Every structure is written in C-alpha cells, then in structure tokens.
Amino acid sequence: MVLFEKLRGLNPDIPEDVIRQTTDELCRNSHGDQLENNYHCYQKIRNGIKVKFKKDGHETQGLLRLIDFNNPERNSFIVASQMWIRGEVH
C-alpha cells in the first residue's frame, strides 16, 4: 500500500503498527456531513495526527505527519482522471 509506505518513511519514530492502524482509519469511508468530514481531513493533512504508543515501556504521544511541507520531494502525489467507488450511495 503506497500510503502506508510513504507514512512509514515520513514518520520513522512512530511504530509501524500505529502507522498501519492510522492508515486503515484514513482509508475507511466517512459518513455524515461532508463539509465537516472535509474540514477534519484538511486538519489532518495540515497539522498531522496525534497518536499514542508505548516507547521504552512508557506511554508517549507523537505526531504522525501526512505531508512533509519542509521537504516536498519526499511526498508522493497520485493523480486520477477517473475514480470508481463501489458501495452504498448516501
């Protein structure tokens, strides 16, 4: 999965299981108000996602970055001219 691999490269200090769980959450369909969902997605892209994990036996918190704004060449962008979505329409 491209997203998991890129997030792992951008966040080497975050454990892989936390990155995988966050990747799964990002890929799930969101329900409810589209405007609110878009706002929350934008916040995650802009500010990162706060995650908790154990390090050296202690609970710690880190920031999982989705985009490297300081080094844009480290990011990966995929462009699609058409996208098909299967599932319920709501």
Side-chain angles (χ1 to χ4, degrees):
M1 178 181 275
V2 174
L3 180 59
F4 171 75
E5 293 299 327
K6 292 309 286 185
L7 292 181
R8 193 171 69 167
L10 290 174
N11 301 280
D13 297 336
I14 307 288
E16 282 191 23
D17 61 322
V18 174
I19 295 173
R20 186 164 305 281
Q21 179 182 354
T22 304
T23 301
D24 292 344
E25 290 171 8
L26 288 169
C27 291
R28 280 195 207 116
N29 289 334
S30 55
H31 300 285
D33 183 14
Q34 267 189 330
L35 187 61
E36 186 176 330
N37 286 335
N38 286 344
Y39 174 77
H40 290 295
C41 285
Y42 170 75
Q43 292 301 316
K44 291 175 185 177
I45 291 169
R46 185 76 187 123
N47 303 317
I49 301 171
K50 290 181 183 176
V51 292
K52 293 182 180 179
F53 54 93
K54 289 199 179 230
K55 185 174 183 178
D56 300 326
H58 294 74
E59 183 84 16
T60 188
Q61 189 171 337
L63 188 64
L64 189 137
R65 296 177 301 134
L66 302 181
I67 294 180
D68 188 340
F69 290 102
N70 295 325
N71 302 295
E73 67 278 357
R74 294 185 64 207
N75 299 310
S76 178
F77 299 96
I78 299 172
V79 176
S81 63
Q82 292 183 347
M83 183 174 76
W84 293 89
I85 301 175
R86 292 184 186 182
E88 292 184 32
V89 177
H90 42 285

